[in-house]
RNA sequence: UCCGCAGUAGCUCAAUGGCAGAGCAUUCGGCUGUUAACCGAAGGGUUGUAGGUUCGAGUCCUACCUGCGGAGCCA
């Protein structure tokens, strides 16, 4: 009999199977052992009766510590006393290693300790469920864009200069003479590939050397950035709406078990269907003023500023779906944003704010098309024009309206899972004060 | 960088300024249906670091270190 995975057990009731895995926990009662076996696909309880295995097997199993590696052979039996509905009556077992002093015990632990042991923490039920949801978010992202006519065109991770100028970059020595920087966005390169392929996306790690210590920040995170030629701000909002709705639907469909393990209120995810409310910045400011007058916000919001975290939380609390705030003041947005032809002080940008305080999950908009405008912007932001010559070429040779956005995978995953902090949504989080393991 | 909170056994946490404690984990023993199993026993400590106040400091004061939460900035 070959190896069977725990998720497949319900199809093998009455058969003898061989499972290969690790000991999740073990209870015992005199002449009975109840090892819980974990194999990466699930956890199943085994039953070992002293008189139904060879004496050496009994002696080998009895002292096993948490996370010992072992292979178990036995018959699958339906039993409603077992957590998973089935149990394994063990006939034979082979111990690969008896592990001792596994640091993560069945009791509670603090975050610092768990993050120090992240390489082991990944084996725990909750972490396993979160990363399964992440997997599905990533899969949904790719499936959606691929089926919608987008071409994957990945952008470089080493970049020669800042994409947006202001944000802090990680500097890397590039063969001595030159400095390279880790990318903080594939945005500018996406505009080049969009002019070559029409609809494109890049999907990879992104680096921000900001000294942010909040539940929404990592220094290394994954971002997917679709970009469309011949597209406008409205097209981007339409895309964002369909995109997020598809991801939520896929997570609900494919990860029901994990959402249950995470105790996620799935009605919050079921509500993520088009259309999403669209809120002009001017109207957002009015809502924030009302919030301040009612005492829901501590600080009065002044027109012209970017939304702070409490502002975002307040606005999104007024809706049960993601809310799309558009037409921000140009001064708070990136230099390449297209201006509103009606009101030059506004940029054709949009931020999608997730409900339940998860904050900005998508940011994007329409890009400037005019060569002269961009040259002025580059000068006004004190950026070196020669570094942007290739980018300006995109406006010299067939400039068209185009637009796109970026979505943070970890923020999206945290939102789907309903968990506090993005650090649990990536296998090995990189944060201001954490580079290990 | 700023504001707030914390640091005691491997882990999670107690201890009015007066003998350093418990649960889990570990080791040993018991139990044929355990569900974070349970019952009994044992080992385990430079109370983050350095000073200070005091007859006496885990506890009070100062500085520093480390971490957490938040702000700014962002996805």
């Amino acid at each position: 009999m070959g190896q069977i995975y725990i998720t497949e057990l319900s199809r093998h009731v009455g058969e003898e199977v061989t499972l290969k895995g690790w000991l999740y926990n073990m209870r015992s009662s005199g002449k009975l052992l109840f090892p819980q076996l974990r194999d990466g696909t699930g956890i199943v309880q085994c039953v070992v009766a002293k008189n139904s295995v060879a004496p050496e097997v009994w002696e080998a199993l009895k002292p096993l510590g948490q996370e010992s590696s072992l292979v178990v052979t036995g018959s699958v039996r339906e039993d409603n006393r077992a957590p998973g509905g089935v149990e394994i009556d063990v006939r034979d077992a082979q111990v690969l290693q008896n592990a001792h002093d596994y640091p993560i015990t069945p009791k509670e632990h603090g975050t610092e300790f768990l993050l120090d042991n992240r390489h082991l923490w990944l084996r725990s039920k909750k972490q396993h469920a979160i990363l399964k949801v992440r997997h599905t978010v990533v899969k949904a992202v790719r499936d959606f864009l691929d089926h919608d006519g987008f071409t994957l065109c990945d952008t470089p991770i080493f970049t020669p200069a800042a994409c947006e100028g202001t944000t802090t970059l990680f500097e890397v020595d590039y063969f001595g003479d030159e400095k390279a920087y880790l990318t903080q966005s594939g945005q500018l390169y996406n505009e080049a590939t969009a002019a070559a392929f029409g609809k494109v996306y890049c999907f990879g790690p992104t680096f921000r050397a900001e000294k942010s210590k909040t539940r929404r920040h990592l220094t290394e995170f994954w971002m997917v950035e679709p970009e469309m030629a011949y597209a406008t701000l409205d097209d981007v909002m339409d895309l964002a709406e369909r995109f997020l709705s598809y991801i939520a639907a896929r997570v609900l469909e494919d990860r029901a078990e994990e959402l249950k393990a995470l105790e996620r209120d799935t009605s919050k995810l079921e509500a993520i269907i088009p259309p999403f409310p669209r809120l002009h910045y001017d109207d957002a400011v009015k809502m924030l003023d009302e919030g301040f007058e009612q005492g829901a916000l501590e600080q009065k919001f002044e027109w012209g500023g970017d939304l702070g975290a409490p502002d975002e939380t307040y606005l999104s609390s007024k809706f049960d779906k993601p809310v799309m705030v558009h037409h921000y003041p140009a001064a708070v947005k990136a230099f390449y944003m297209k201006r509103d032809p009606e009101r030059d002080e506004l940029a054709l940008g949009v931020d999608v704010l997730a409900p339940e305080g998860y904050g900005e999950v998508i940011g994007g908009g329409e890009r400037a098309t005019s060569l002269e405008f961009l040259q002025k912007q580059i000068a006004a932001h004190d950026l070196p024009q020669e570094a942007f010559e290739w980018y300006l070429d995109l406006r010299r040779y067939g400039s068209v309206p185009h637009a796109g956005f970026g979505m943070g995978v970890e923020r999206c995953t945290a939102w789907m899972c309903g968990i506090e902090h993005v650090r649990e949504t990536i296998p090995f989080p990189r944060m201001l004060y954490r580079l290990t393991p």
Side-chain angles (χ1 to χ4, degrees):
Chain A
M1 188 82 223
Q3 181 183 5
I4 294 288
Y5 287 99
I6 288 168
T7 39
E8 307 165 338
L9 282 178
S10 57
R11 298 203 299 269
H12 295 274
V13 173
E15 298 172 25
E16 182 168 286
V17 298
T18 294
L19 298 171
K20 301 181 180 182
W22 297 262
L23 185 66
Y24 194 74
N25 196 12
M26 179 141 73
R27 288 178 279 270
S28 68
S29 181
K31 305 288 188 294
L32 284 178
L33 299 176
F34 299 95
Q36 290 189 299
L37 191 74
R38 177 184 74 73
D39 75 347
T41 73
I43 295 173
V44 69
Q45 175 162 287
C46 305
V47 184
V48 186
K50 190 175 184 181
N51 58 17
S52 59
V53 293
E56 59 271 23
V57 170
W58 176 262
E59 290 305 319
L61 290 176
K62 207 174 149 189
L64 290 187
Q66 243 185 304
E67 292 300 322
S68 292
S69 42
L70 70 161
V71 175
V72 160
T73 300
S75 53
V76 185
R77 176 171 46 75
E78 277 183 323
D79 193 321
N80 52 24
R81 286 174 295 187
V86 294
E87 283 188 342
I88 307 296
D89 285 322
V90 177
R91 181 180 62 77
D92 195 13
Q94 185 192 349
V95 174
L96 278 73
Q97 188 199 31
N98 180 5
H100 278 291
D101 297 315
Y102 185 68
I104 303 176
T105 65
K107 290 278 178 177
E108 302 155 12
H109 298 283
T111 309
E112 190 189 355
F113 174 79
L114 289 169
L115 284 172
D116 284 340
N117 288 283
R118 182 61 174 170
H119 51 296
L120 303 174
W121 191 21
L122 296 172
R123 305 180 187 191
S124 303
K125 278 181 193 166
K126 185 181 172 191
Q127 300 308 311
H128 192 267
I130 292 167
L131 292 173
K132 282 292 216 180
V133 171
R134 178 194 171 95
H135 166 77
T136 297
V137 167
V138 171
K139 185 85 165 61
V141 162
R142 292 195 182 279
D143 287 350
F144 176 89
L145 293 172
D146 293 349
H147 291 142
D148 217 59
F150 285 78
T151 300
L152 175 70
C153 274
D154 282 321
T155 53
I157 288 170
F158 284 135
T159 60
C163 284
E164 303 182 18
T166 53
T167 321
T168 321
L169 294 165
F170 284 105
E171 192 180 283
V172 178
D173 177 74
Y174 203 72
F175 300 113
D177 298 335
E178 248 183 303
K179 294 286 185 221
Y181 302 90
L182 300 183
T183 182
Q184 59 180 351
S185 167
Q187 162 60 33
L188 302 185
Y189 293 96
N190 265 348
E191 296 186 42
T193 58
F197 296 87
K199 297 206 289 186
V200 298
Y201 69 102
C202 65
F203 194 174
T206 303
F207 307 88
R208 302 271 167 100
E210 293 155 357
K211 296 201 167 180
S212 300
K213 332 192 290 181
T214 79
R215 69 185 67 162
R216 299 179 301 279
H217 286 87
L218 297 170
T219 54
E220 176 183 320
F221 65 97
W222 283 64
M223 185 157 69
V224 56
E225 296 173 271
E227 186 78 22
M228 303 177 284
Y230 287 104
T232 63
L233 175 62
D234 282 336
D235 294 326
V236 158
M237 291 198 277
D238 290 346
L239 181 73
E241 194 169 78
R242 288 194 297 124
F243 184 67
L244 290 176
S245 302
Y246 179 81
I247 293 169
R250 278 290 296 276
V251 168
L252 280 166
E253 192 180 325
D254 296 355
R255 299 270 78 100
E257 202 177 302
E258 283 79 6
L259 293 176
K260 198 177 164 192
L262 293 165
E263 297 175 332
R264 181 62 166 131
D265 179 357
T266 50
S267 70
K268 305 273 193 204
L269 301 183
E270 283 155 7
I272 307 171
I273 45 171
F276 295 170
R278 300 184 182 195
L279 193 61
H280 193 284
Y281 178 84
D282 290 346
D283 298 321
V285 172
K286 282 180 201 156
M287 285 183 67
L288 291 171
D289 283 345
E290 285 167 24
F292 177 69
E293 280 161 25
Q294 289 164 7
L297 285 166
E298 285 182 19
Q299 291 202 323
K300 179 157 173 64
F301 189 83
E302 298 295 337
W303 193 100
D306 203 357
L307 302 180
D311 306 318
E312 287 184 0
T313 304
Y314 175 78
L315 285 177
S316 63
S317 73
K318 296 292 164 190
F319 304 93
D320 58 357
K321 290 182 188 186
V323 55
M324 304 200 279
V325 182
H326 55 86
H327 285 83
Y328 280 81
V332 300
K333 287 294 174 186
F335 77 90
Y336 52 73
M337 285 275 190
K338 188 177 175 68
R339 297 295 175 88
D340 183 351
E342 316 276 312
R343 290 170 61 185
D344 191 58
E345 75 278 17
L346 296 181
L348 297 181
V350 58
D351 282 354
V352 183
L353 309 180
E356 304 171 77
Y358 284 97
E360 186 184 341
V361 73
I362 279 180
E366 197 171 327
R367 324 304 185 188
T369 50
S370 156
L371 175 64
E372 293 72 28
F373 174 79
L374 279 173
Q375 284 171 329
K376 276 185 209 157
Q377 283 289 94
I378 288 168
H381 285 78
D382 281 326
L383 297 170
Q385 187 173 325
E386 60 278 13
F388 289 89
E389 281 304 325
W390 69 267
Y391 182 68
L392 294 172
D393 269 357
L394 305 174
R395 273 70 183 178
R396 292 187 180 104
Y397 307 110
S399 187
V400 299
H402 61 290
F405 64 75
M407 183 190 78
V409 167
E410 290 76 18
R411 283 190 185 177
C412 181
T413 304
W415 170 33
M416 292 294 128
C417 293
I419 59 171
E420 270 293 294
H421 206 299
V422 293
R423 65 189 162 208
E424 291 175 52
T425 64
I426 187 166
F428 297 97
R430 294 291 172 253
M431 296 180 292
L432 181 52
Y433 296 117
R434 179 165 296 277
L435 192 55
T436 55

